[in-house]
Amino acid sequence: MTQNCNCHDTSHVHFSDYFSENLYNWCTNCGNYGIHAAVKRAFVSENIAPRDTLLCFDIGCHGNGSDKIGGYRFHGLHGRVIPFACGASVANRQINVVAFGGDGGTLGEGINHLIAGIRGNFDITFVLHNNLNYGLTLGQPSATTKEGVKMTAAPDGITSDPLHPMRLVLSLNPSFAARTFSGDIGHMTKIFTAGFAHKGFSFIEVLQSCPTYNHMTPHEW
């Protein structure tokens, strides 16, 4: 876990307080850029300082941004970010805990943790990066990949029905569930702000563009 906050006066939080000197290395037009910008804007709008946040990242393309934003950050094991975030929230209720995970790790290896987190209504915000594939493994189909779509690791397409994250979440009677789009920073900022303010498990699905490995997720989608 690392921390690089240069903000000593938390009464006036600025966008620059979440600055990191490390350069982004995502693909051009990746939805992660917009998500990071919206997360920062939401924190600033609510005057939440980096020292009052814990950002938990799963393994995946989104996780490569764990060292590119200021604040306390944790980069965990694949599909296991939710139980860590829930434990951190229980251990210190004075911090804002935000966890990030992809559709692959969250709805594949970690689906049981998602269900347990929602049912326990732990006080965290969970952001699901849903780009319908495992981007870090260069286009491997995930639980949300649409039937018949040809992927790098499935050149003939997949035959299984895709899992719909919001239908699953709503069936668990969540205390907060929302959906937004990685190309709309303004809307994401509003949704993230509401999620941060909610006391309980805030599930936020981000429909995310993946310009390199899944051409089924353009802005029109």
Side-chain angles (χ1 to χ4, degrees):
M1 188 181 296
T2 58
Q3 193 269 350
N4 67 342
C5 173
N6 55 12
C7 175
H8 300 291
D9 180 9
T10 59
S11 61
H12 298 287
V13 177
H14 302 285
F15 198 84
S16 59
D17 295 328
Y18 283 93
F19 172 76
S20 171
E21 294 182 353
N22 297 317
L23 298 178
Y24 287 112
N25 58 0
W26 292 315
C27 298
T28 300
N29 293 328
C30 174
N32 285 322
Y33 291 105
I35 295 172
H36 254 221
V39 167
K40 294 177 184 178
R41 291 188 180 189
F43 279 136
V44 171
S45 69
E46 293 302 295
N47 209 42
I48 301 174
R51 74 177 193 177
D52 296 323
T53 67
L54 172 62
L55 306 177
C56 308
F57 295 84
D58 205 90
I59 299 299
C61 288
H62 77 278
N64 288 342
S66 62
D67 63 342
K68 299 169 181 66
I69 185 171
Y72 292 100
R73 295 146 298 154
F74 175 84
H75 200 169
L77 301 175
H78 198 210
R80 308 296 188 264
V81 71
I82 291 178
F84 175 86
C86 292
S89 176
V90 171
N92 186 347
R93 299 185 183 277
Q94 303 305 311
I95 59 173
N96 298 275
V97 180
V98 184
F100 304 87
D103 53 289
T106 301
L107 300 171
E109 296 88 335
I111 193 169
N112 54 321
H113 299 307
L114 174 64
I115 293 174
I118 294 173
R119 295 188 67 206
N121 200 31
F122 292 92
D123 190 16
I124 71 169
T125 298
F126 177 67
V127 179
L128 175 67
H129 294 241
N130 187 9
N131 57 15
L132 280 62
N133 79 116
Y134 287 87
L136 197 63
T137 49
L138 313 184
Q140 176 186 351
S142 73
T144 60
T145 302
K146 296 180 180 180
E147 182 180 356
V149 175
K150 297 180 179 181
M151 305 295 291
T152 303
D156 296 325
I158 59 173
T159 58
S160 58
D161 293 330
L163 192 155
H164 298 274
M166 195 58 73
R167 292 180 187 175
L168 170 65
V169 169
L170 291 177
S171 73
L172 300 171
N173 192 28
S175 61
F176 182 104
R179 176 188 280 167
T180 185
F181 169 54
S182 65
D184 190 339
I185 295 177
H187 187 260
M188 280 193 294
T189 300
K190 293 178 181 178
I191 295 297
F192 292 156
T193 299
F196 298 162
H198 176 71
K199 296 301 179 183
F201 195 102
S202 301
F203 174 82
I204 299 174
E205 178 188 11
V206 179
L207 301 179
Q208 179 178 341
S209 58
C210 180
T212 302
Y213 300 113
N214 191 348
H215 298 291
M216 292 299 295
T217 60
H219 277 215
E220 292 77 11
W221 167 75

